[in-house]
Amino acid sequence: EFFQVDSSTQCFHLYDDKKRTWNEAQTHCHDKGLVVARPTDRTAAALRKYIFVENGNGGVWLNAQGDGEKIVWQEDGTEITSGNPLWWPLLQEKWFSNRYCLLLLAYKSNWKSHPNRPYIIFPCSISHRTLCEGPLLFNSHDAFVNLNEKIQLYCGTRSNYVYCVWEKDNQIIRTEDVYKGMYSGISRPVKTTNNQCGIVLNKATIEDQGIWTCKIYTLETVFVGRKNVTLTVNGIKAPLCYYDCGIDYEWVCGTDKKNYQNRCMLKVAACKAQTNITIKHHGVCEVVKDCPGGFIKIEGSWKCFKVWDDEKRNWWEAEDKCLDENSVLAGPTTEVAVALRKRILDTYGDLGGLWLDGIVPGTGIHTEIRLSVNNTNWLRSHHYPSNEFDLCRAMNINQQFIRNYPNASDVSQLHWCTKRGSTLCEVSL
């Protein structure tokens, strides 16, 4: 089921059994013991052509995401610069937030027009095919240490594997930073023969229990393999606190007074903390902090919202306005969307279009866009005949429209991003 493309030593597996969001693709590859693919610059274009020839047209998720300023590969934080020649010509830096992820344009039409430009940014919440990469798994092992004692964790077996990243509970520890003394309590082994990327825990604690993963790279920062070290401290083996929690938004308030996206994530937190955390009540915990001046709060939400109707803006100008006001474009959940819309209508009257967070970048491809009613990022189901131009999410504040469409699934619509409307910003409490 795995395949390779010319000039690449990497092994790939395309999962087109169903389309997944970027986060779902991450989980799917992880469950298979794989990672979402990261092709080299040299092989990306050939990989794109292979996929649409052998498996038909369609976008394919890759393992990079925005961090607010740039697009970075998730394994090591390496930036894909805006000047990279692999970008599709429509790239805009406004798409570099963490809501946007890297997509491989495996379409014959795109290949014909721009054969060497396979990369584009897409909202992570949109579903596409999943491309996993099958890395070499070096020998994993168990390690045991007494509390407060020193232990060495081994990683690296050949001289050409000289760049590594350690992970523990999703915390990334770069070995070069460790060796420069940036991480307290972790140091470099005295001898590094056959252990080029090893680290030393100078004083093991209960929190150090669990699975430490060393990801190994070549000089060209190509991911080639990983090694898992399951560490047991003081004879008590740590549980593996991993569950496929999905991305459902069914918020619960824990007895630790923290909000969890769903019941499963509360369970994961309790497992990692090795303590008993139960559901205090469904919905978010009570918010005691007041909203900033000019912002309004909707019951059941831990966010504050503010309408800017001083001037009409296109979607990108609206995004900039929110950032200038130390906020972001609003993304109301289904639970609060109807109440928020009514509150705005009662306060401001008919505003017409009100920009929200959410964009479907144009790809130049004539295609159909269908957005699920059940997807909390897109509350209104729509069918558009073309995705040639950018489409952005908006809320329609109009009495007649609300009478015709009173439900939560009818709150948001897609409009051309170049249209001008009012702006809705939000801040978190």
Side-chain angles (χ1 to χ4, degrees), residues 47-185:
L47 176 63
R48 182 255 294 265
K49 183 178 180 181
Y50 179 94
I51 290 175
F52 77 70
V53 169
E54 298 295 330
N55 301 95
N57 292 317
V60 178
W61 285 126
L62 298 180
N63 199 20
Q65 185 181 27
D67 67 357
E69 298 178 352
K70 54 189 178 298
I71 300 296
V72 296
W73 293 109
Q74 294 303 288
E75 302 96 331
D76 58 3
T78 301
E79 177 185 2
I80 308 175
T81 63
S82 58
N84 191 307
L86 297 176
W87 285 119
W88 185 256
L90 296 175
L91 177 71
Q92 296 190 35
E93 293 186 2
K94 293 181 180 292
W95 299 344
F96 288 179
S97 79
N98 61 8
R99 294 182 177 88
Y100 296 92
C101 299
L102 182 62
L103 191 74
L104 186 73
L105 282 172
Y107 294 90
K108 186 175 182 179
S109 58
N110 294 96
W111 173 75
K112 283 186 174 181
S113 59
H114 296 90
N116 296 314
R117 291 175 173 257
Y119 287 171
I120 195 169
I121 299 303
F122 239 76
C124 306
S125 58
I126 304 299
S127 296
H128 290 286
R129 295 184 291 180
T130 301
L131 184 66
C132 300
E133 183 177 334
L136 173 65
L137 179 60
F138 294 90
N139 292 331
S140 298
H141 64 278
D142 292 337
F144 302 88
V145 64
N146 290 324
L147 191 65
N148 297 325
E149 288 187 353
K150 179 185 292 188
I151 185 170
Q152 179 171 290
L153 303 184
Y154 289 86
C155 183
T157 56
R158 302 177 188 174
S159 60
N160 60 324
Y161 297 144
V162 296
Y163 177 76
C164 305
V165 173
W166 283 88
E167 290 184 1
K168 171 65 167 63
D169 295 335
N170 296 321
Q171 298 296 315
I172 296 177
I173 302 172
R174 303 175 192 276
T175 50
E176 66 269 28
D177 293 342
V178 170
Y179 299 157
K180 293 177 182 177
M182 293 180 64
Y183 285 88
S184 175

Side-chain angles (χ1 to χ4, degrees), residues 213-239:
T213 300
C214 178
K215 295 185 176 180
I216 305 167
Y217 300 81
T218 66
L219 280 171
E220 298 177 345
T221 67
V222 176
F223 181 44
V224 295
R226 70 182 189 276
K227 174 179 287 187
N228 293 332
V229 180
T230 303
L231 180 62
T232 300
V233 178
N234 205 25
I236 303 174
K237 192 166 184 177

Side-chain angles (χ1 to χ4, degrees), residues 38 40 46 64 66 129 138 148 151 163 175 198 229 249 251 291 301 306 339 343-344 371 399 427:
R38 175 186 175 173
T40 64
R129 295 184 291 180
F138 294 90
N148 297 325
I151 185 170
Y163 177 76
T175 50
V229 180
Y249 287 87
W251 291 91
C291 290
S301 174
K306 183 172 183 178
R343 179 79 170 272
I344 294 173
L371 302 175
Q399 286 186 346
V427 294

Side-chain angles (χ1 to χ4, degrees), residues 362-417:
T363 62
I365 305 167
H366 286 278
T367 185
E368 291 184 351
I369 299 174
R370 295 182 184 274
L371 302 175
S372 170
V373 173
N374 295 323
N375 187 325
T376 55
N377 289 316
W378 303 96
L379 302 179
R380 179 171 171 78
S381 178
H382 269 278
H383 174 197
Y384 280 82
S386 173
N387 190 23
E388 288 192 280
F389 305 100
D390 299 334
L391 298 171
C392 294
R393 179 183 171 202
M395 178 186 291
N396 198 329
I397 307 299
N398 177 279
Q399 286 186 346
Q400 182 62 46
F401 182 88
I402 293 174
R403 280 196 294 269
N404 293 337
Y405 302 101
N407 300 318
S409 60
D410 298 307
V411 170
S412 299
Q413 294 179 301
L414 284 178
H415 290 283
W416 308 125
C417 303

Side-chain angles (χ1 to χ4, degrees), residues 30 169-170 209-211 238-245 264 267-274:
H30 184 279
D169 295 335
N170 296 321
Q209 290 191 120
I211 296 179
L240 177 58
C241 300
Y242 175 79
Y243 304 89
D244 183 5
C245 292
C264 177
K267 183 178 179 181
V268 171
C271 177
K272 289 182 177 180
Q274 287 293 280

